[in-house]
Amino acid sequence: MSAEVLDDRALELAGTGSGWATIAECRLKASDRGLELVSVDRVWFEDYVDDPAWLEEELEVWGIRRKFRAHFYRWRGFKEEDGESAPDLNRWYVAISDLEEAGELELWF
């Protein structure tokens, strides 16, 4: 059996690879210390965050134990010939991989 090599586009269509991230809804608040991660939703989902409908920001936030950098996303919405999606810039999502790398993932779940 020969090994089949998938290109990035095939991986994107499959829901993995570059441009995809596992994210969860979260809440942030400003405090005297700076930005604080207040909560992380238990519902995770994968989304293609390289889509122009997503607004990505890398922020430094305080977690449960320490300060760390993470990628956060907000829904900018989109307009197409077939319709449009309203923006929801007040709802924040955090990359689960960044929580894991910072050692915060097990503290939230």
Side-chain angles (χ1 to χ4, degrees), residues 87-104:
D88 190 358
L89 297 175
N90 292 323
R91 190 171 298 190
W92 290 84
Y93 300 88
V94 63
I96 294 298
S97 60
D98 291 344
L99 287 178
E100 187 173 26
E101 185 176 314
E104 292 274 322

Side-chain angles (χ1 to χ4, degrees), residues 3-98:
E4 190 173 318
V5 178
L6 298 175
D7 63 8
D8 281 347
R9 183 66 182 141
L11 292 172
E12 288 170 12
L13 293 172
T16 59
S18 64
W20 286 86
T22 302
I23 57 178
E25 190 172 347
C26 65
R27 283 189 42 230
L28 298 171
K29 79 171 187 175
S31 73
D32 294 340
R33 298 190 316 165
L35 280 178
E36 292 184 28
L37 185 60
V38 176
S39 68
V40 179
D41 194 311
R42 294 187 179 273
V43 178
W44 302 0
F45 61 97
E46 273 197 14
D47 211 318
Y48 186 64
V49 293
D50 274 355
D51 187 310
W54 285 103
L55 178 64
E56 178 183 0
E57 298 180 51
E58 186 176 350
L59 302 171
E60 192 168 60
V61 298
W62 282 97
I64 293 175
R65 288 191 184 148
R66 63 185 182 91
K67 201 172 195 179
F68 65 95
R69 294 192 73 73
H71 291 88
F72 291 87
Y73 303 92
R74 294 185 289 158
W75 182 251
R76 182 187 338 224
F78 62 85
K79 291 182 182 179
E80 294 179 337
E81 289 179 19
D82 297 338
E84 66 182 86
S85 165
D88 190 358
L89 297 175
N90 292 323
R91 190 171 298 190
W92 290 84
Y93 300 88
V94 63
I96 294 298
S97 60
D98 291 344

